[in-house]
Amino acid sequence: MASIFTKIVNGEIPSYKIAETEDYYAFLDINPLAAGHTLCIPKKEVDYIFDLDDDTLAGLHLFAKKVAKALETCLPCKRVGVLVIGTEVPHAHIHLIPFQHEAQMAITSIKASISKERMAEIAQQVSTQYETMNT
Ligand code: AMP
C-alpha cells in the first residue's frame, strides 16, 4: 500500500507544498515543532533513509540544503536544524526545523500551534523564495 507521503506526492492527500523536483518533494509538517517545520522526501518510496541508494540519498540532502536556505531566509530562526527519525511514517524523510530555541529540536517537545492560514502563508512565502533562489 502506498505511504501517506506517496499519496501526498500524487496529490491524493493535500499538503502545504514548499518545493518539488523530478525526484524530491518538500512540504510543511502538519504537526510542527516550529513555524516552517518541513519534511523533505524522495518520491521513490523507501522506508528507511539508509536503505536509499547512494545517489538518491545524496540528492535528498542537496535538495534539503536548498529548502533550508529558503526557510532561513523567510523565518526568524537561530538555524535550521535537521532530524531523521522515521518511526511514524515508513517513507524516508528529513525534518528541517527553523528553531529559535534548542528545545524545539526535541521531537517529544510540545508542538507549535499554527493556524491553517499561517501554514498556507508560510508555504507560499517559502516556496516563492525557493523558486527565486533556484531559477
Ligand atoms: P517520523 O516518522 O517520526 O519522522 O515523523 C513523521 C512526521 O510526519 C511527523 O512529524 C508528522 O507530524 C508528519 N506527518 C504525518 N502525516 C503528515 C501529513 N499528512 N502531512 C504532513 N506531515 C505529516
Side-chain angles (χ1 to χ4, degrees):
M1 197 178 75
S3 76
I4 192 163
F5 290 172
T6 293
K7 289 180 180 171
I8 283 174
V9 169
N10 293 339
E12 297 163 32
I13 291 178
S15 69
Y16 296 100
K17 179 176 159 180
I18 297 290
E20 180 173 14
T21 70
E22 192 180 341
D23 297 319
Y24 304 101
Y25 192 90
F27 54 104
L28 293 180
D29 191 306
I30 205 75
N31 202 11
L33 288 163
H37 181 168
T38 296
L39 303 176
C40 297
I41 66 169
K43 291 183 178 176
K44 184 189 295 184
E45 187 178 323
V46 171
D47 175 357
Y48 182 43
I49 191 166
F50 295 126
D51 284 335
L52 290 170
D53 64 80
D54 290 357
D55 286 347
T56 305
L57 179 61
L60 177 61
H61 281 87
L62 294 175
F63 176 66
K65 175 182 176 180
K66 291 177 181 172
V67 173
K69 292 290 177 190
L71 285 168
E72 69 191 28
T73 302
C74 296
L75 293 150
C77 61
K78 194 178 274 185
R79 289 198 166 190
V80 174
V82 178
L83 276 181
V84 175
I85 302 173
T87 50
E88 184 185 321
V89 178
H91 185 141
H93 52 279
I94 293 175
H95 295 253
L96 296 178
I97 301 156
F99 69 90
Q100 304 199 55
H101 309 287
E102 284 77 356
Q104 290 173 291
M105 288 301 298
I107 200 74
T108 49
S109 70
I110 296 167
K111 303 296 187 285
S113 176
I114 300 170
S115 70
K116 288 180 178 173
E117 292 75 18
R118 180 66 184 134
M119 291 281 277
E121 192 177 71
I122 291 169
Q124 177 63 50
Q125 195 183 359
V126 180
S127 63
T128 301
Q129 184 63 30
Y130 175 90
E131 286 302 321
T132 302
M133 295 172 96
N134 294 289
T135 48

